[in-house]
Amino acid sequence: MIKELLSNSCDYDTGSPEFISKTEIKRIIMEAVRGRLESDGVTVAPVIIRRRLMYDATTGEEWLIGPELEPVECEGPLIVEGRHKMKDLPNGNTVMEHPERTHLDRAIYNAMTGRCERAFSPDDINVLSAGSKSLISALNQAGYEKGGFELGQEMPSFQFGDDRSEDGELPPTRLYLHRTDLLSLQMVADLVNSGARPDYGKLWVPYNQEGPQRYRQDTLILGFSEYRDLKETIELLRERFSWDDGACIGAGETLYGLKVAGIPGAYIGQTKYGGDSFNGEMTQYFEEAIQCSCEDIKQPQTGEVLTDEWLDAMARKTTDILGSIMSKNGRTTHHALIDSDMTADLIKLASSVQ
């Protein structure tokens, strides 16, 4: 796919303010690659080789999937494919070796969504409980038919509404509010009580128990199919953030989306189809671009330092490739938006603060 994209000219201006900045691209690259921070800089870590015994020369026993052996380390490049191979050892045994591949997609997605482990206190759980009760009450009063906790994914979430509408004036559009933490539940309750009507909402929450848990910090996701509903929600959020400093606690920098002025940590992203993940789609684009850049730029090996020169070269190449990818996926005006009659209005809405 990448080779096909690169054979076409790129009509995306990768130097425009609407494109992802090189600083952000560098940050993504450093989050994604198999580096290790040392006193002299970031060096390439050894490759971990997972091994299984497939033939025991002493007993003559063979296995289709043999017992695991202790992993070993070896030198290797920055990006590891992770293909299985058989290896005969000097003692006559045969092992299957599997280099631990570099999961670019996982690392990029985790960086974007703020996946972490956090210890939750009794006060945190009280905030969660009070916020969920307020939100359930607000949704019921507003007439939402669906709303509640979902426990079937990797981490729990509170979801309401329907994110699969394709009949609105907007391509499927999501508003993200990054790192608003447990305040998100009460914040959405206040929005709904104030008249906001998103089609869909998803709020990542911890389990209702104290102690350490895996957690996602892209805590608030709202879906829209109508411009008016999105505009009203953004205006309400801007008003809240203008007087409520508590809502800004922990708001982080955004990476991929159309940043919304006046709301720290807020950004907009669109997909072609309802129910699809904007974050997931951007992750795929970044993974393809970084992999392709690694083919053209000499990669450091185990023990070598990741230099500023290498990172600059990777960022330039990745930026160019991303521009081609965005263009071929209908994102020529803004990388976070599918080109439509409403694109200019969305950019103006996101950048304008009254």
Side-chain angles (χ1 to χ4, degrees):
M1 177 180 178
I2 287 293
K3 298 299 183 185
E4 179 183 345
L5 291 174
L6 293 180
S7 66
N8 296 284
S9 60
C10 171
D11 58 355
Y12 203 111
D13 179 8
T14 56
S16 74
E18 282 73 38
F19 201 65
I20 307 161
S21 74
K22 282 191 172 63
T23 299
E24 291 173 330
I25 288 176
K26 287 181 180 181
R27 178 177 166 187
I28 290 298
I29 291 171
M30 291 307 296
E31 291 278 1
V33 299
R34 189 175 46 84
R36 181 172 63 188
L37 186 61
E38 305 285 4
S39 58
D40 59 348
V42 179
T43 63
V44 181
V47 178
I48 305 298
I49 306 294
R50 306 289 178 186
R51 304 185 303 161
R52 287 185 179 274
L53 182 63
M54 306 303 288
Y55 171 72
D56 189 328
T58 303
T59 64
E61 191 170 1
E62 296 184 68
W63 294 270
L64 288 175
I65 301 178
E68 288 190 26
L69 303 175
E70 285 293 319
V72 297
E73 294 184 351
C74 70
E75 295 185 356
L78 190 68
I79 305 295
V80 180
E81 290 295 329
R83 295 187 178 92
H84 293 77
K85 67 176 182 179
M86 306 299 287
K87 182 177 181 180
D88 294 326
L89 302 181
N91 63 2
N93 290 350
T94 300
V95 298
M96 180 175 66
E97 294 189 335
H98 176 214
E100 196 170 83
R101 70 179 290 264
T102 306
H103 292 279
L104 283 177
D105 54 346
R106 184 185 304 168
I108 294 167
Y109 192 74
N110 287 352
M112 182 175 188
T113 59
R115 294 196 182 198
C116 62
E117 184 165 300
R118 172 182 162 180
F120 290 91
S121 68
D123 288 343
D124 291 330
I125 302 306
N126 289 337
V127 171
L128 172 66
S129 178
S132 61
K133 290 177 182 177
S134 294
L135 181 52
I136 290 171
S137 174
L139 293 172
N140 287 336
Q141 292 182 33
Y144 283 88
E145 296 181 357
K146 178 183 176 183
F149 289 97
E150 299 285 342
L151 304 178
Q153 295 181 285
E154 183 181 0
M155 282 167 263
S157 63
F158 186 100
Q159 298 184 39
F160 65 90
D162 187 356
D163 194 29
R164 299 186 180 276
S165 172
E166 297 180 10
D167 299 327
E169 61 183 334
L170 293 174
T173 301
R174 289 186 174 187
L175 172 65
Y176 293 81
L177 196 52
H178 201 49
R179 292 180 172 85
T180 46
D181 211 8
L182 300 176
L183 294 167
S184 296
L185 291 159
Q186 185 62 55
M187 185 180 295
V188 175
D190 294 343
L191 286 173
V192 173
N193 285 331
S194 298
R197 291 296 180 267
D199 297 342
Y200 164 83
K202 186 171 188 177
L203 301 92
W204 296 104
V205 296
Y207 288 102
N208 191 29
Q209 61 189 39
E210 302 169 27
Q213 299 182 41
R214 285 184 298 177
Y215 188 54
R216 280 180 59 154
Q217 294 176 309
D218 60 335
T219 45
L220 196 165
I221 306 169
L222 299 176
F224 299 88
S225 58
E226 300 296 335
Y227 177 81
R228 182 188 63 183
D229 294 331
L230 175 61
K231 181 175 184 292
E232 185 173 1
T233 299
I234 286 178
E235 289 173 349
L236 288 169
L237 279 172
R238 280 179 173 147
E239 181 181 356
R240 179 188 178 99
F241 273 70
S242 69
W243 54 260
D244 185 358
D245 291 337
C248 303
I249 292 175
E253 286 297 315
T254 58
L255 299 176
Y256 302 136
L258 169 62
K259 295 176 177 62
V260 181
I263 312 174
Y267 64 97
I268 294 169
Q270 292 181 330
T271 58
K272 293 180 180 178
Y273 306 105
D276 287 355
S277 166
F278 168 72
N279 288 347
E281 189 172 329
M282 291 295 110
T283 294
Q284 292 175 16
Y285 296 161
F286 261 95
E287 181 185 19
E288 292 175 356
I290 292 173
Q291 285 177 330
C292 192
S293 298
C294 288
E295 295 177 6
D296 295 337
I297 297 174
K298 186 178 184 298
Q299 296 303 302
Q301 303 290 305
T302 297
E304 296 180 359
V305 176
L306 303 183
T307 65
D308 290 336
E309 291 77 13
W310 171 83
L311 187 56
D312 286 340
M314 281 288 294
R316 284 194 300 271
K317 188 67 177 179
T318 301
T319 301
D320 291 342
I321 296 170
L322 277 172
S324 294
I325 293 174
M326 300 301 182
S327 293
K328 300 307 174 184
N329 283 277
R331 300 173 183 271
T332 59
T333 306
H334 193 289
H335 73 273
L337 306 178
I338 303 294
D339 292 346
S340 72
D341 293 339
M342 303 296 297
T343 296
D345 293 327
L346 285 174
I347 294 173
K348 182 178 179 181
L349 171 65
S351 61
S352 300
V353 180
Q354 301 298 326

